[in-house]
Amino acid sequence: MRYLLSLLLICWQTAATAQWYETQGHAYVTQGNKENARSLAIENALKKALLVAGASVSSVQQVVNGLLTQDEVNIRATGNVNAFEIVNETYQGNMLSVTVRADIIPQSRQCFSADYRKSLLLTKSHLSHREQANIGSIYKIDSALIKRLANKIQQQGSYLAPKLSVKSSNEFSRYNNSLDIEKIKHISMSLGDMTDSQYVMFSEIDDVSFALEPNNGWQFWQEDEFERHFKLNVHIYNANNGELVFQKQYQNSAPWTFTKRARVDVNSNTFWQSQYGAVLDQTINQVITDIDDNMMCQPTRAKIVDVQGNQIRFNLGERHGVKLGDKFSLLHVKNFTSDKGKSYAGFNVSPFNVKVVQVSNASAVAQTEDGKILDSIQLDDLVVRH
């Protein structure tokens, strides 16, 4: 099978030396579809190679009802893949492992905002139909999924600095169902303010139900094995103004290999190494790819938490990529409310520019280079890359 790599490059190419990266990708064979599993495993391996080379990847497979309809891998990256070859391909039960060697030329970043990692708060997911979690007693999937997502973003994400809040639920789903945009804005800004986060992610697990027909009904000596569905909705809001910046739905399914009476620990390796857990893991990986690619060019706006003379402190630091000598412009927040009660974000650009003179893990101190007093700057005003 021949694979076409379509590279969508936003920035111009720079002279660089190509390097070979050898990585291994994995995928489960579901419903006997080895070609689809092979395609997913190759995608997985190429993503790893590009990410190791410093790329941002958005890979899309066109699949209809489990059948590969277009033999093409689309990669959006800051690296150029000259060529790749499949080194090895092995099966272990339903698991397919493919080793790929790729020739990659690294390139410069795609946008200015990519210089800093955005602080993203991940909130507890909402399990829309709790009765669907009865089989397996997987009620804690709402927090387990987000914990795993946060850990993977920490390890794999290129443009995000995650924070986790799964001890309590929030009202997002209720407001979202009633289309109460203003209350969603309020809760996003409130959570961002409480946790010093630039962006807030809400999610809804809308489906963990079972298919009506068993996969192995003809094997009368075995217990029936059913496909279990999984549907996840992801929403990300700007915590400075409450505006929606990312929204996407993910849908998949896989065989539920546990018995009907088994109580399954969704935080255990047993669950995540099962076929259903592996498909959830693949979904998580796709979520990371999508939000990393989307958030890469979102503006990095830090909040000013202290003003003293010609100095300010703001809530970006080393963990976000801020360095000594970085320069920032200042924005004075000027939100307003329309006659119909809708709130809108507004900013006045300050004439002041500041330069970073101190950096800690989560914050930085910057000052005006000419020593002028920042008399018009207030707490909760913003800094942006100059």
Side-chain angles (χ1 to χ4, degrees):
M1 184 180 292
R2 187 179 177 183
Y3 288 82
L4 171 66
L5 272 72
S6 175
L7 297 175
L8 308 176
L9 302 176
I10 295 178
C11 59
W12 59 87
Q13 294 201 7
T14 57
T17 303
Q19 294 182 340
W20 284 92
Y21 295 85
E22 186 170 299
T23 57
Q24 192 174 64
H26 307 278
Y28 274 93
V29 179
T30 58
Q31 300 181 351
N33 195 333
K34 291 186 177 181
E35 288 302 315
N36 187 44
R38 188 170 186 262
S39 175
L40 291 172
I42 291 171
E43 271 196 90
N44 183 242
L46 285 172
K47 284 184 188 179
K48 290 179 182 178
L50 282 159
L51 289 170
V52 167
S56 168
V57 188
S58 176
S59 185
V60 178
Q61 274 293 323
Q62 293 189 14
V63 180
V64 179
N65 294 329
L67 299 176
L68 187 66
T69 58
Q70 180 174 328
D71 189 12
E72 179 176 342
V73 179
N74 296 312
I75 295 176
R76 176 179 178 179
T78 52
N80 186 6
V81 179
N82 280 343
F84 82 95
E85 59 184 11
I86 299 173
V87 178
N88 191 31
E89 190 173 330
T90 58
Y91 287 88
Q92 186 173 1
N94 287 329
M95 170 70 81
L96 169 63
S97 299
V98 175
T99 303
V100 169
R101 186 182 296 129
D103 184 19
I104 299 173
I105 300 177
Q107 291 185 315
S108 59
R109 290 180 182 263
Q110 292 181 346
C111 65
F112 208 45
S113 299
D115 287 344
Y116 298 122
R117 294 168 72 93
K118 284 79 174 171
S119 179
L120 174 68
L121 177 68
L122 286 80
T123 63
K124 185 177 180 180
S125 192
H126 175 71
L127 186 57
S128 300
H129 306 284
R130 288 188 63 81
E131 70 280 1
Q132 293 179 354
N134 288 343
I135 296 180
S137 297
I138 60 170
Y139 305 106
K140 293 185 179 179
I141 192 68
D142 52 4
S143 57
L145 185 83
I146 301 303
K147 288 178 183 177
R148 196 167 182 87
L149 176 60
N151 287 336
K152 287 201 169 196
I153 289 176
Q154 189 69 50
Q155 296 167 10
Q156 303 173 15
S158 302
Y159 307 107
L160 300 170
K163 296 181 180 181
L164 192 59
S165 175
V166 294
K167 291 184 178 180
S168 60
S169 302
N170 57 70
E171 298 297 318
F172 170 78
S173 289
R174 185 163 66 86
Y175 297 151
N176 193 43
N177 289 336
S178 62
L179 301 177
D180 196 332
I181 306 302
E182 292 306 305
K183 287 186 177 178
I184 292 176
K185 284 185 178 182
H186 176 76
I187 193 175
S188 301
M189 295 168 69
S190 178
L191 285 170
D193 190 52
M194 286 190 293
T195 61
D196 251 357
S197 302
Q198 295 171 265
Y199 296 90
V200 179
M201 191 189 95
F202 303 103
S203 60
E204 299 166 307
I205 300 173
D206 277 348
D207 192 4
V208 290
S209 66
F210 282 84
L212 297 178
E213 297 293 331
N215 289 340
N216 61 342
W218 58 275
Q219 296 173 332
F220 59 87
W221 64 89
Q222 293 183 359
E223 184 173 347
D224 287 344
E225 185 179 276
F226 288 82
E227 287 278 309
R228 191 167 200 167
H229 304 300
F230 180 71
K231 186 189 292 183
L232 177 72
N233 291 312
V234 175
H235 315 258
I236 298 179
Y237 289 83
N238 187 323
N240 288 321
N241 54 31
E243 294 177 351
L244 180 67
V245 296
F246 176 81
Q247 183 176 13
K248 189 169 181 178
Q249 183 181 92
Y250 301 84
Q251 193 167 354
N252 218 322
S253 65
W256 182 256
T257 52
F258 303 96
T259 64
K260 291 181 179 178
R261 294 177 179 82
R263 295 175 63 88
V264 181
D265 181 2
V266 291
N267 290 296
S268 68
N269 287 333
T270 302
F271 171 75
W272 289 103
Q273 289 173 5
S274 70
Q275 291 189 49
Y276 188 72
V279 165
L280 265 62
D281 228 14
Q282 290 176 10
T283 303
I284 289 173
N285 290 336
Q286 188 60 54
V287 171
I288 294 172
T289 297
D290 291 343
I291 64 176
D292 222 23
D293 188 60
N294 177 272
M295 300 297 289
M296 175 176 59
C297 291
Q298 291 292 336
T300 305
R301 291 171 176 165
K303 187 172 291 187
I304 296 173
V305 296
D306 187 43
V307 183
Q308 297 289 336
N310 74 325
Q311 286 191 344
I312 59 167
R313 180 180 292 274
F314 56 90
N315 61 352
L316 283 181
E318 288 179 346
R319 70 188 294 259
H320 307 97
V322 177
K323 302 179 294 297
L324 288 174
D326 285 354
K327 295 182 179 181
F328 290 86
S329 297
L330 306 182
L331 298 179
H332 180 63
V333 178
K334 191 178 181 181
N335 296 334
F336 63 95
T337 304
S338 70
D339 294 339
K340 295 183 179 180
K342 292 186 177 181
S343 60
Y344 296 91
F347 305 99
N348 284 342
V349 179
S350 166
F352 297 111
N353 294 316
V354 293
K355 182 177 180 180
V356 174
V357 294
Q358 294 178 33
V359 185
S360 63
N361 182 53
S363 67
V365 174
Q367 65 184 29
T368 55
E369 293 187 82
D370 56 9
K372 287 184 178 178
I373 302 299
L374 298 165
D375 51 7
S376 61
I377 300 302
Q378 304 172 5
L379 298 183
D380 294 337
D381 283 346
L382 305 176
V383 302
V384 294
R385 181 64 187 265
H386 176 55

